[in-house]
Amino acid sequence: MQKEAEKFAQSSLMEGMFSIRAVLRAGEEGISDRKIEKILFDREKAKSKSKELSFLRAKAKEHGFSVEFTDAAKIDELTVGNSHGGIVAFCTERSVPSVSQMKIRENGFYVMLEGIEDPYNFGYCLRSLYAAGADGILVGPRNWFSAAGVVCRASAGASELFEIAEGDVVEIVRIFKEKGYLVLAADKTEDAVPIYDTKVQKPVLLVVGGEKRGITRAVLSECDRVVCLDYGRRFGAALSAASAASILAFEIFRQNRGEGGEA
């Protein structure tokens, strides 16, 4: 495996079938323009993973990439995790449009992630947000999509399946407000109201910041409301961004689940 300092060098190397299936699905559904160029398959796993191999060979004919056998040592040399199952894919980069190019749903649920400092935490956020029914993700110009392979694995493929746009974080909030969205910031300010005591009806943009830097003041000043999470006991530390985003997103899902059972 790569050393810690080199772990993000192969930003578009996808590890394991979860990630590879997500890339394929995203391309087939028009969510992403990322393409697979080549797949390396551990030859010693060809028999035990014959179904996966057959699937990839069929997709290779359909999409024009190659499937090549190699040894486990070569795959370990390329990868940053140990859950790849002997299968990795070299991919092109994904285009991320600006927020001004995004088709924003009239009655949607979007999430803006700001200041999350770890790509794994970022990926875990996306996994929960996708499960909770969020329609899309907004990010600032500095984000973790450059480490696409790590984020994809941490998100169980959700990062590839999300509609994503980037832009100036203040501009993003203003654009959504102009579209009639309620903008909620998750923070522990003095005027914050517990999410469980707040009526949240779509369309809504939820802004979640990293546990260290939080949400910038410029963004907070643009938001309609600030919400927080009540703790079950006295505890001075912040939850991880992934934990906070999960709880908040599923509460928004719960409050809006009457709409066909989905948030």
Side-chain angles (χ1 to χ4, degrees):
M1 288 189 292
Q2 290 177 316
K3 296 178 181 178
E4 187 76 12
E6 303 168 335
K7 69 195 305 184
F8 306 130
Q10 292 280 357
S11 65
S12 296
L13 182 76
M14 299 297 172
E15 304 179 18
M17 285 301 295
F18 260 117
S19 296
I20 293 169
R21 285 181 186 275
V23 172
L24 289 167
R25 178 182 160 191
E28 291 169 352
E29 296 183 7
I31 299 167
S32 167
D33 61 353
R34 192 190 306 282
K35 297 185 184 303
I36 295 175
E37 296 181 316
K38 178 175 69 176
I39 285 180
L40 296 184
F41 202 105
D42 183 351
R43 62 171 57 89
E44 293 184 1
K45 295 183 182 293
K47 188 174 181 179
S48 62
K49 293 183 178 289
S50 59
K51 289 183 179 180
E52 290 89 340
L53 182 57
S54 296
F55 171 81
L56 292 173
R57 281 176 166 166
K59 289 296 182 181
K61 288 183 180 179
E62 184 179 346
H63 296 290
F65 59 84
S66 62
V67 179
E68 302 175 10
F69 286 118
T70 189
D71 53 41
K74 176 63 176 177
I75 292 177
D76 284 341
E77 181 184 332
L78 291 167
T79 55
V80 298
N82 55 14
S83 58
H84 49 73
I87 310 169
V88 297
F90 291 87
C91 302
T92 62
E93 292 186 5
R94 175 182 179 176
S95 301
V96 179
S98 69
V99 65
S100 60
Q101 298 172 301
M102 187 182 213
K103 277 191 172 182
I104 300 171
R105 299 191 185 195
E106 290 185 5
N107 195 40
F109 167 35
Y110 291 83
V111 181
M112 184 170 82
L113 299 173
E114 184 190 10
I116 297 176
E117 298 181 355
D118 178 77
Y120 293 98
N121 203 9
F122 186 77
Y124 299 148
C125 281
L126 297 181
R127 184 192 297 217
S128 295
L129 294 172
Y130 191 80
D135 293 308
I137 300 297
L138 291 307
V139 291
R142 294 182 62 189
N143 59 69
W144 281 112
F145 284 113
S146 59
V150 174
V151 172
C152 188
R153 192 173 74 254
S155 69
S159 60
E160 294 299 303
L161 301 175
F162 260 128
E163 184 179 1
I164 300 160
E166 67 179 18
D168 176 80
V169 288
V170 173
E171 180 190 9
I172 289 171
V173 172
R174 288 175 178 170
I175 287 173
F176 273 81
K177 288 179 76 172
E178 288 173 4
K179 294 284 186 180
Y181 271 64
L182 170 69
V183 181
L184 298 179
D187 211 325
K188 280 280 189 181
T189 59
E190 290 184 4
D191 59 344
V193 179
I195 185 69
Y196 303 119
D197 299 330
T198 305
K199 185 176 181 181
V200 182
Q201 188 171 355
K202 296 195 300 184
V204 60
L205 171 67
L206 173 66
V207 183
V208 178
E211 54 264 34
K212 291 183 179 180
R213 289 190 289 165
I215 301 169
T216 57
R217 289 184 181 180
V219 170
L220 279 173
S221 67
E222 294 284 340
C223 295
D224 296 309
R225 298 181 204 163
V226 181
V227 295
C228 62
L229 293 171
D230 280 339
Y231 288 178
R233 57 164 51 89
R234 203 172 188 179
F235 185 57
L239 295 181
S240 69
S243 297
S246 299
I247 298 167
L248 293 162
F250 275 97
E251 175 61 14
I252 292 171
F253 166 75
R254 186 191 69 81
Q255 291 195 32
N256 290 272
R257 66 186 303 180
E259 301 179 13
E262 296 182 358

